[in-house]
């Protein structure tokens, strides 16, 4: 796969996750996410978007992230309740800028070392800003929102670590 293909797939994945999060929240409201918590239906997709943001930045840079946020917000406005789309657009822009501020300097130390703290900061900011702007109760919903986003972050990080471990074993055997 070429760098261009990876970049296009990263943008498509990121924008799709943003739109899916808003569409699901607009159509399904709150859902159970485990541990007795509920979250907006788009929370898992929003968590996935937080992860995809880092991939977009790695492939295309920070400006591409801002353009993708604007594109995702525009498409969300066409497919979701307007209040959800607006709240999401503002929340994503704020959280992604903070995520980028943490991710960029830490990226030199490794992907996992950068993505976990950056995504955690982004998740908290996204949650608080989105809930507030969408007119939803903020503090009662924060735990559930963070549980849902944790599911979305834990899975891809685990997959990346597993793939890297398998590659390392193959390289060790070949040497």
């Amino acid at each position: 796969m070429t760098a261009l293909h990876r970049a296009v797939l990263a943008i498509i994945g990121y924008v799709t996750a943003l739109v899916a999060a808003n569409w699901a929240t607009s159509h399904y409201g709150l859902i159970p996410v485990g541990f007795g918590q509920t979250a907006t239906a788009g929370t898992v997709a929003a968590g996935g978007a937080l992860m995809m943001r880092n991939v977009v930045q790695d492939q295309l840079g920070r400006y591409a992230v801002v353009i993708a946020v604007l594109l995702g917000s525009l498409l969300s406005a066409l497919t979701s309740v307007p209040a959800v789309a607006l709240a999401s657009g503002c929340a994503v822009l704020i959280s992604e800028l903070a995520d980028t501020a943490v991710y960029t300097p830490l990226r030199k130390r490794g992907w996992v070392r950068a993505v976990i703290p950056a995504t955690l900061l982004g998740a908290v900011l996204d949650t608080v800003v989105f809930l507030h702007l969408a007119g939803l109760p903020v503090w009662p919903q924060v735990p559930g929102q963070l549980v849902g986003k944790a599911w979305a972050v834990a899975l891809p990080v685990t997959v990346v670590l597993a793939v890297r471990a398998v590659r390392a074993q193959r390289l060790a055997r070949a040497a």
Side-chain angles (χ1 to χ4, degrees):
M1 181 180 296
T2 68
L4 177 61
H5 287 113
R6 284 191 302 273
V8 169
L9 288 175
I11 289 282
I12 290 170
Y14 182 57
V15 170
T16 299
L18 292 174
V19 174
N22 294 323
W23 183 87
T25 296
S26 293
H27 290 84
Y28 295 106
L30 298 175
I31 61 167
V33 291
F35 307 106
Q37 300 295 319
T38 60
T40 56
T43 297
V44 174
L50 291 168
M51 292 293 297
M52 288 303 298
R53 191 221 57 83
N54 298 312
V55 175
V56 171
Q57 181 179 336
D58 284 348
Q59 297 294 318
L60 297 167
R62 291 178 276 185
Y63 295 111
V65 172
V66 174
I67 291 167
V69 168
L70 296 174
L71 178 59
S73 296
L74 177 64
L75 292 173
S76 290
L78 300 173
T79 62
S80 304
V81 172
V84 169
L86 180 61
S88 172
C90 294
V92 169
L93 196 55
I94 290 167
S95 67
E96 300 300 11
L97 292 173
D99 182 305
T100 298
V102 172
Y103 180 81
T104 301
L106 292 178
R107 182 62 176 98
K108 297 174 215 143
R109 296 183 183 161
W111 184 77
V112 172
R113 288 185 179 142
V115 81
I116 291 175
T119 302
L120 287 173
L121 174 62
V124 170
L125 287 174
D126 179 75
T127 295
V128 172
V129 172
F130 173 78
L131 291 171
H132 176 72
L133 292 177
L136 297 168
V138 176
W139 300 114
Q141 287 298 315
V142 167
Q145 297 288 111
L146 295 179
V147 167
K149 289 175 183 173
W151 288 119
V153 171
L155 181 61
V157 168
T158 302
V159 169
V160 167
L161 292 174
V163 167
R164 288 181 178 175
V166 168
R167 284 184 183 163
Q169 287 178 345
R170 287 182 183 165
L171 289 173
R173 285 187 211 143

